[in-house]
């Protein structure tokens, strides 16, 4: 079932409107939200059970609501590039679809923001979705959802994103290409392209120390569902004295759950991890970046009966590698076809903004021509080479992919819908063309996707 139904009542109603959000006592920001709250309400769906959702738009801007990570048809997916109709300004769309697959998904706006920091993912249009599996043993005591999000963005020029959390796997040739292009641009007198920074950082819409703590009991096994709802930033999260047993990435169970001292999430990535509460105290669970944590990116975890000032200690340096959770000694099946892509940056080329290209082509939102014609049922390998120094959290709509090469090594079994491609690194992902129609592929960093970093697949 799909499409817009004419009659009948909705299972869920979402209202897009400008609203104040209190991120700390008497500290109120203005943004666009779902149902007047940030994050938007948690929508719990049952895998395979059709739902009807009414989306009301109380703003002056036509909106797209994207069902991130779900295998849905193009008319409900929520991307203009795929042909999803807009939710008209001061209008409504009622959609019906069958939630799938099970796991942590989310919904968010898919509007282009461009130079407008009050639009698109810079707003508070983010909400979690949990699709319940038909059979879920649920080996945990309870679930806590954590939505990581910044507010009050502004532009800057330059500024490096730390990426030493990824295993070092730079490809020399890509580095030479990227650095040569950058030097040539600067030599012509070009400034660095714009980047975005933020004033305030929140978890579940509250700055560190200003929200309700996560209250736990010793011995409890808490399943954290963590979502990076940022428009542009990579986030980390650690809880002093505790480890995360990662059981799912982007909502999909991993073949090999493993314990890590810190989790990292590119924009739109999700991590589901169990923390065994075995270290009583009052702790700061937060981002490793001192500046971001200092401006709110954290939440207090408080054991029953414990009091005092929440404590933070940084974990030891640690490399985040998706392959840690992969199938042991397994190799992915050979693809039917390989799609080779090189990502590149044209420094400050579009009115001071960096212009992004895939195989030397920046996506045109005017023509929206599909660049890749696929065949249903075939297995494709996307071989991505990043000739820029930035990290790109790459997202494929309406499909999951398997990571088949990361940090210079083959891997298998980790299914995701976003993957971070580090500066000058190579990553390969495989997917099966099993959900026909226009399919958007893009960098989830708002500033990158808005300035060319997109392409369209098509198949019938
Ligand atoms: Cu990017």
């Amino acid at each position: 079932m799909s499409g817009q139904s004419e009659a009948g009542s909705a299972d869920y109603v979402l209202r897009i409107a400008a609203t104040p959000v209190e991120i700390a006592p008497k500290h109120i920001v203005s943004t666009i939200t779902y149902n007047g709250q940030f994050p938007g309400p948690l929508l719990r769906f049952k895998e395979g059970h059709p739902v009807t959702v009414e989306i009301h738009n109380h703003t002056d801007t036509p909106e797209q609501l994207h069902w991130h990570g779900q295998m849905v048809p193009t008319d409900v997916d929520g991307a203009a590039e795929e042909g999803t109709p807009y939710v008209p300004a001061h209008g409504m769309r009622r959609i019906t679809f069958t939630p799938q697959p099970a796991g942590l998904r989310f919904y968010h706006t898919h509007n282009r923001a461009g130079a407008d920091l009050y639009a698109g993912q810079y707003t508070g249009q983010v909400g979690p979705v949990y699709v319940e599996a038909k059979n879920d043993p649920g080996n945990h005591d309870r679930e806590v959802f954590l939505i990581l999000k910044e507010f009050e963005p502004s532009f800057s020029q330059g500024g490096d994103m730390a990426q030493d959390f990824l295993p070092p796997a730079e490809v020399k040739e890509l580095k030479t290409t990227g650095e040569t292009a950058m030097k040539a641009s600067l030599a012509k007198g070009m400034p660095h392209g714009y980047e975005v920074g933020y004033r305030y950082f929140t978890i579940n819409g509250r700055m560190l120390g200003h929200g309700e703590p996560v209250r736990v009991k010793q011995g409890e096994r808490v399943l954290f569902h963590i979502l990076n709802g940022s428009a542009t930033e990579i986030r980390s999260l650690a809880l002093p004295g505790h480890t995360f047993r990662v059981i799912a990435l982007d909502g999909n169970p991993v073949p090999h759950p493993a314990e890590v001292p810190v989790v990292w999430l590119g924009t739109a990535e999700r991590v589901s991890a169990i923390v065994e509460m075995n270290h009583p105290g009052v702790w700061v669970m937060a981002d490793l970046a001192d500046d971001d944590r200092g401006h709110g990116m954290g939440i207090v975890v408080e054991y029953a009966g414990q009091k005092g000032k929440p404590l933070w200690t940084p974990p030891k340096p640690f490399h985040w590698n998706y392959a840690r959770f992969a199938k042991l000694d397994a190799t992915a099946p050979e693809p039917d076809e390989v799609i080779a892509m090189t990502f590149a940056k044209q420094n400050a080329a579009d009115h001071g903004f960096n212009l992004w290209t895939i195989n030397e082509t920046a996506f045109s939102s005017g023509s929206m021509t599909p660049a890749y014609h696929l065949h249903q049922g075939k297995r494709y390998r996307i071989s991505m080479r990043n000739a820029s120094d930035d990290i790109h959290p790459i997202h494929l709509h309406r499909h999951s992919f398997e990571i088949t090469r990361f940090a210079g090594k083959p891997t298998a079994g980790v299914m995701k819908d976003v993957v971070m491609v580090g500066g000058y690194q190579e990553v390969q992902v495989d997917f099966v063309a099993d959900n026909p129609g226009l399919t958007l592929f893009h960098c989830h960093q708002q500033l990158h996707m808005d300035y060319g970093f997109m392409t369209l697949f098509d198949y019938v």
Side-chain angles (χ1 to χ4, degrees):
M1 283 177 77
S2 74
Q4 197 159 349
S5 53
E6 296 302 322
S9 63
D11 302 300
Y12 298 90
V13 177
L14 292 172
R15 296 181 181 280
I16 303 165
T19 37
V21 176
E22 193 181 62
I23 58 172
K26 299 201 168 82
H27 197 135
I28 299 156
V29 297
S30 165
T31 188
I32 313 285
T33 63
Y34 296 117
N35 294 7
Q37 63 179 81
F38 184 86
L42 168 63
L43 305 182
R44 277 197 178 268
F45 298 147
K46 285 195 175 66
E47 188 181 20
H49 287 238
V51 289
T52 300
V53 182
E54 261 184 29
I55 310 162
H56 294 257
N57 181 1
H58 300 278
T59 74
D60 299 332
T61 309
E63 269 293 347
Q64 287 286 352
L65 188 148
H66 171 47
W67 299 101
H68 188 118
Q70 292 203 50
M71 313 305 149
V72 290
T74 53
D75 58 340
V76 301
D77 187 49
E81 296 82 356
E82 294 174 347
T84 315
Y86 278 93
V87 185
H90 303 282
M92 188 270 278
R93 269 198 95 206
R94 185 189 292 120
I95 54 171
T96 299
F97 62 97
T98 303
Q100 58 187 330
L104 178 60
R105 315 284 159 208
F106 78 118
Y107 56 103
H108 65 82
T109 176
H110 213 282
N111 275 18
R112 183 176 190 273
D116 183 357
L117 294 178
Y118 295 92
Q121 194 82 47
Y122 300 116
T123 69
Q125 290 178 79
V126 174
V129 168
Y130 198 83
V131 183
E132 287 168 11
K134 285 166 190 144
N135 314 298
D136 182 5
N139 192 17
H140 55 269
D141 296 311
R142 64 194 176 90
E143 291 171 305
V144 175
F145 288 78
L146 301 176
I147 319 301
L148 284 42
K149 180 74 178 169
E150 310 82 4
F151 291 97
E152 298 208 354
S154 58
F155 288 120
S156 61
Q157 278 172 314
D160 274 346
M161 195 177 287
Q163 35 181 295
D164 50 359
F165 69 93
L166 291 175
E170 281 185 358
V171 177
K172 209 174 167 190
E173 177 203 338
L174 294 172
K175 189 170 185 170
T176 307
T177 307
E179 288 187 342
T180 305
M182 192 67 195
K183 270 183 201 143
S185 171
L186 296 176
K188 277 192 288 182
M190 297 291 278
H192 284 273
Y194 294 115
E195 302 290 348
V196 173
Y198 302 86
R199 193 162 173 197
Y200 302 117
F201 296 74
T202 68
I203 293 185
N204 294 346
R206 298 292 275 194
M207 293 173 72
L208 173 60
H210 296 293
E212 284 296 302
V214 179
R215 294 196 171 84
V216 301
K217 293 191 193 82
Q218 187 167 2
E220 230 179 359
R221 289 161 58 82
V222 179
L223 173 54
F224 286 98
H225 290 302
I226 308 159
L227 158 64
N228 181 357
S230 179
T232 56
E233 300 228 321
I234 311 290
R235 296 257 71 95
S236 58
L237 203 66
L239 177 61
H242 298 76
T243 54
F244 297 89
R245 184 172 175 79
V246 174
I247 61 166
L249 292 174
D250 294 351
N252 307 315
V254 294
H256 178 67
E259 298 212 357
V260 293
V262 50
V263 296
W264 288 87
L265 306 96
T267 52
E269 284 192 295
R270 288 91 68 207
V271 171
S272 300
I274 292 175
V275 177
E276 198 174 320
M277 295 298 166
N278 53 12
H279 198 62
V282 183
W283 305 105
V284 170
M285 184 185 202
D287 199 294
L288 270 56
D290 294 338
D291 204 46
D292 299 356
R293 192 174 61 256
H295 289 90
M297 188 48 81
I299 190 166
V300 173
V301 173
E302 186 182 284
Y303 278 71
Q306 298 286 320
K307 288 200 168 51
K309 196 171 178 287
L311 297 178
W312 165 257
T313 47
K316 289 201 181 91
F318 171 80
H319 282 146
W320 177 252
N321 188 337
Y322 302 112
R324 189 177 294 266
F325 316 106
K327 256 181 215 163
L328 301 173
D329 304 319
T331 47
E334 281 302 305
D336 299 303
E337 273 181 47
V338 177
I339 299 170
M341 293 186 183
T342 300
F343 306 147
K345 170 163 74 179
Q346 292 176 15
N347 177 59
D350 190 344
H351 301 88
F353 289 88
N354 297 323
L355 187 66
W356 293 93
T357 61
I358 300 174
N359 295 347
E360 298 179 347
T361 305
F363 185 75
S364 161
S365 50
S367 68
M368 293 202 196
T369 317
Y372 298 91
H373 297 276
L374 311 182
H375 298 277
Q376 190 169 1
K378 279 198 173 177
R379 182 180 173 95
Y380 291 89
R381 176 159 298 167
I382 311 176
S383 179
M384 300 177 278
R385 292 162 60 82
N386 179 7
S388 77
D389 57 351
D390 301 61
I391 298 187
H392 302 293
I394 300 293
H395 174 45
L396 179 65
H397 280 232
R398 309 194 308 109
H399 298 74
S400 294
F401 51 65
E402 179 177 1
I403 300 177
T404 51
R405 191 172 183 84
F406 191 80
K409 292 193 183 75
T411 179
V414 172
M415 303 298 298
K416 286 177 63 49
D417 53 59
V418 180
V419 65
M420 284 187 276
V421 181
Y424 305 130
Q425 296 208 8
E426 280 179 319
V427 173
Q428 293 179 349
V429 297
D430 290 15
F431 73 100
V432 176
D434 57 3
N435 194 9
L438 289 169
T439 298
L440 197 58
F441 171 96
H442 64 92
C443 178
H444 216 284
Q445 216 275 24
Q446 182 92 49
L447 209 47
H448 300 180
M449 67 184 278
D450 287 352
Y451 288 91
F453 207 145
M454 278 199 194
T455 193
L456 268 175
F457 298 137
D458 193 18
Y459 58 103
V460 290

